[in-house]
């Protein structure tokens, strides 16, 4: 019997390489696909859904913060366990269902501008698919409210043929952004100004007869107040959404990076139309958000972009809301 056992063991050992070579072929291939990305919660009587347009890779962070010391950028990123050589933003669009109206805030990059739609790489343009995955049809949207008219916020208003993706929606945008981003005379300065203006013209013109102009302090829908926060663009607006005694501040592009621009709110960002005004607006509004303790949705912060702003030293800290919180505000 011992001989038999030894033979069994030897046999099993001898078979191992065969198993590795043969059965190992059953190893699953990497899938590399992404799950649908939407997140739903309540705010008072309203139902809200954050829908992702995918990630927006900026690449090396230094060019995005041209006036900031590179060693300070690296130190802040490293201290927060973020790669020092690649800054990646999210794109968190919001759908608000008030029970009477369905409002989409910002559209993501879309596919309306061909190669320019992929200027930040292939990871953007997922909003329409994620919207449908969340059970919302684009034709159900009554109003698209734009924080501003940049590519990653309004280029999915139309498809590649210029046809409206939201056939029953009005579009709310500030008059300042509408004028600025549809004026060929502003095609100067950084290279991105040419595609940014061409894209805004194509997307906004398709809704020419159904535009609503945002005004500072005024409601675009019951409980939804636009607040002028200029600098990133001339007409950038945030939206304060209130239901009952709960408030969510949809901050748009008030701050693009949850570490760099919260710890250093006065740092300048390369895609700002007026970086100095943007820094002042950011400082002032972050102070208000921290003091009033409002829940915040930030378009470019880590998915799904929900959390709070707290004071930290001479700047601020982003405190993400747990995903299992079903009611914010
Ligand atoms: Zn943006």
């Amino acid at each position: 019997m011992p001989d038999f056992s030894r033979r069994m063991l030897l046999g099993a050992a001898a078979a191992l390489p065969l198993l590795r070579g043969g059965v190992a072929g059953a190893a699953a291939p990497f899938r590399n696909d992404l799950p649908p990305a939407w997140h739903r919660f309540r705010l008072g009587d309203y139902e809200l859904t954050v829908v992702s347009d995918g990630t927006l890779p900026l690449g090396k962070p230094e060019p995005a913060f041209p006036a900031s010391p590179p060693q300070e950028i690296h130190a802040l990123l490293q201290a927060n366990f973020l790669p020092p050589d690649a800054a990646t933003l999210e794109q968190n669009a919001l759908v608000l269902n008030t029970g009477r109206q369905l409002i989409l805030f910002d559209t993501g990059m879309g596919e309306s501008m061909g190669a320019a739609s992929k200027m930040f790489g292939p990871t953007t343009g997922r909003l329409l698919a994620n919207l449908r995955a969340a059970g919302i049809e684009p034709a159900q949207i009554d109003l698209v409210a734009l924080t501003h008219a940049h590519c990653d916020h309004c280029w999915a208003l139309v498809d590649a043929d210029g046809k409206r993706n939201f056939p029953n929606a009005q579009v709310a945008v500030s008059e300042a952004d509408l004028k600025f981003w549809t004026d060929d005379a502003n095609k100067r300065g950084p290279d991105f100004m040419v595609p940014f203006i061409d894209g805004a013209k194509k997307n906004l013109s398709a809704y020419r007869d159904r535009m609503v102009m945002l005004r500072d302090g005024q409601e675009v829908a019951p409980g939804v107040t636009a607040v002028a926060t200029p600098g990133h663009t001339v007409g950038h607006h945030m939206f304060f959404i209130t239901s009952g005694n709960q408030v969510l501040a949809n901050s748009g592009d008030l701050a693009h990076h949850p570490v760099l621009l919260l710890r250093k709110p006065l740092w300048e960002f390369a895609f700002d139309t007026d970086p100095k005004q943007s820094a002042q607006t950011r400082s002032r509004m972050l102070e208000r958000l921290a003091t009033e303790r409002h829940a915040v949705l930030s378009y470019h912060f880590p998915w799904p972009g929900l959390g709070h702003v707290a004071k930290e030293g001479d700047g601020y800290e982003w405190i993400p809301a747990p995903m299992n919180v079903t009611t914010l505000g």
Side-chain angles (χ1 to χ4, degrees):
M1 291 302 280
D3 275 2
F4 179 69
S5 296
R6 199 180 306 123
R7 262 201 310 278
M8 287 282 281
L9 283 169
L10 286 170
L16 273 177
L18 279 179
L19 280 170
R20 285 210 184 97
V23 183
F30 293 170
R31 294 194 50 96
N32 293 318
D33 52 358
L34 295 166
W38 56 271
H39 175 70
R40 188 158 283 149
F41 61 101
R42 296 289 294 255
L43 182 87
D45 297 329
Y46 292 169
E47 183 185 73
L48 291 82
T49 308
V50 187
V51 178
S52 175
D53 190 52
T55 55
L56 186 78
L58 288 184
K60 288 189 185 304
E62 296 90 338
F65 305 94
S68 309
Q71 62 273 25
E72 272 195 65
I73 296 176
H74 288 181
L76 275 172
L77 291 174
Q78 244 156 358
N80 286 272
F81 302 95
L82 292 168
D85 55 348
T88 301
L89 309 181
E90 291 284 344
Q91 299 176 102
N92 310 309
L94 179 69
V95 180
L96 165 66
N97 188 343
T98 66
R100 290 173 171 272
Q101 253 187 315
L102 208 51
I103 303 169
L104 170 67
F105 296 89
D106 295 336
T107 71
M109 284 286 278
E111 296 176 345
S112 62
M113 294 301 290
S117 295
K118 297 296 173 194
M119 71 174 92
F120 292 100
T123 55
T124 60
R126 299 180 64 211
L127 179 119
L128 291 178
N130 280 328
L131 200 61
R132 291 193 169 100
I136 301 164
E137 282 300 316
Q140 289 177 280
I141 301 290
D142 299 300
L143 174 69
V144 180
L146 302 174
T147 56
H148 61 299
H150 272 173
C151 55
D152 51 322
H153 298 260
C154 80
W155 280 17
L157 280 172
V158 302
D159 65 15
D161 297 328
K163 205 165 138 280
R164 292 193 297 264
N165 282 329
F166 306 97
N168 300 311
Q170 292 186 298
V171 169
V173 64
S174 68
E175 196 170 0
D177 257 33
L178 177 64
K179 277 190 176 156
F180 185 92
W181 293 105
T182 58
D183 184 352
D184 284 329
N186 291 321
K187 286 180 174 173
R188 52 194 154 82
D191 289 347
F192 63 76
M193 290 302 286
V194 172
F196 273 30
I197 286 172
D198 287 340
K201 281 165 69 178
K202 178 173 182 177
N203 278 274
L204 292 168
S205 66
Y207 295 80
R208 197 184 291 113
D209 59 347
R210 48 179 78 196
M211 288 271 180
V212 181
M213 292 299 110
L214 295 176
R215 301 211 189 285
D216 184 26
Q218 291 194 4
E219 285 193 331
V220 286
V224 181
T225 304
V227 174
T229 38
H232 177 54
T233 64
V234 288
H236 184 278
H237 278 66
M238 286 176 50
F239 296 94
F240 282 76
I241 303 168
T242 306
S243 180
N245 58 2
Q246 299 189 303
V247 180
L248 176 75
N250 182 2
S251 62
D253 282 11
L254 181 74
H256 289 77
H257 198 283
V259 173
L260 300 178
L261 289 179
L262 257 61
R263 298 304 303 278
K264 303 284 181 185
L266 291 174
W267 277 9
E268 296 174 12
F269 185 62
F271 290 94
D272 288 342
T273 304
D274 185 338
K276 292 202 174 2
Q277 183 187 35
S278 178
Q280 292 301 328
T281 295
R282 181 164 48 248
S283 275
R284 179 172 47 79
M285 186 53 76
L286 288 174
E287 181 67 21
R288 176 176 166 189
L289 295 175
T291 305
E292 297 181 3
R293 296 176 63 86
H294 294 313
V296 176
L297 170 72
S298 181
Y299 192 77
H300 288 300
F301 283 10
W303 171 257
L306 295 166
H308 291 83
V309 173
K311 290 193 192 196
E312 170 64 42
D314 53 0
Y316 301 89
E317 185 182 8
W318 176 245
I319 302 181
M323 289 281 276
N324 59 9
V325 171
T326 52
T327 300
L328 268 175

